[in-house]
Amino acid sequence: RAAAFRPAFDENTRRQLCLLGELEAERCPSLDRAADAFATLLAGAAAEIADPTGRRVLAQLLYHLGRWVYLIDAADDLKEDAASGNYNPVALRFGLAEGRGTPEARREFAATLDHSIHMMATAFELWDFGVWRPLLESTLYTGLFQIGRAVLDGEFRKRRRMDTARKMGKQQTNDIQQPD
């Protein structure tokens, strides 16, 4: 149904996913080429915005969000991908073995992540997002940096595992306390 409702977005999404698949299959070592394919896919969501300024602002914000998401996900998957041999543009770009990088590689990678956040913030400031402004401000100016730091410090997965264990423990406790 979504493809019928938004055929241009569907076509763009399919095209970008195909390109991304090709880049992954050829094990492209370029961070930018792989991230650009996903970023362009996400930016395509702004194509049908009627106002040209709003369309441009949203396309830029979504582009850099897509780039950041693709790269941070690759960073989060480094150890798994090193173990499995799966494609990972961060590992290929920085020549990482066993999913670990040098402090210099980490600083360079953090700078490219931060650049995407700064570009999102620049676009964000050019438009009135109304009631969504406080949420978007918090996400752009605090949340994304915190997630990036947690991933680069290796704390993001640990936190997710702890949160999952806590939830499961609570659920088990609740299950035990429920009368039949």
Side-chain angles (χ1 to χ4, degrees), residues 21-155:
E22 291 170 5
L23 292 169
E24 290 177 355
E26 72 183 43
R27 302 184 71 76
C28 177
S30 169
L31 281 178
D32 291 325
R33 285 185 64 205
D36 177 72
F38 188 76
T40 300
L41 181 160
L42 198 54
E48 294 182 27
I49 302 293
D51 178 88
T53 303
R55 182 174 50 250
R56 174 78 173 154
V57 166
L58 191 56
Q60 284 298 301
L61 196 150
L62 290 173
Y63 177 89
H64 289 286
L65 177 62
R67 183 180 188 279
W68 186 89
V69 165
Y70 185 82
L71 294 176
I72 203 70
D73 180 62
D76 190 40
D77 292 344
L78 276 170
K79 287 184 182 176
E80 276 180 16
D81 291 343
S84 69
N86 287 343
Y87 172 75
N88 190 303
V90 176
L92 291 172
R93 162 60 180 85
F94 292 104
L96 305 182
E98 299 175 21
R100 296 178 167 256
T102 65
E104 181 181 324
R106 178 191 158 110
R107 279 190 302 276
E108 187 178 332
F109 184 66
T112 197
L113 291 172
D114 290 354
H115 176 73
S116 285
I117 296 172
H118 293 300
M119 294 302 290
M120 281 183 260
T122 299
F124 171 75
E125 292 299 335
L126 296 172
W127 194 251
D128 178 8
F129 286 91
V131 298
W132 297 104
R133 186 172 182 82
L135 175 66
L136 292 170
E137 279 179 331
S138 177
T139 300
L140 291 171
Y141 296 116
T142 306
L144 293 177
F145 287 109
Q146 289 174 341
I147 295 295
R149 187 176 315 111
V151 168
L152 293 178
D153 289 346
E155 298 296 319

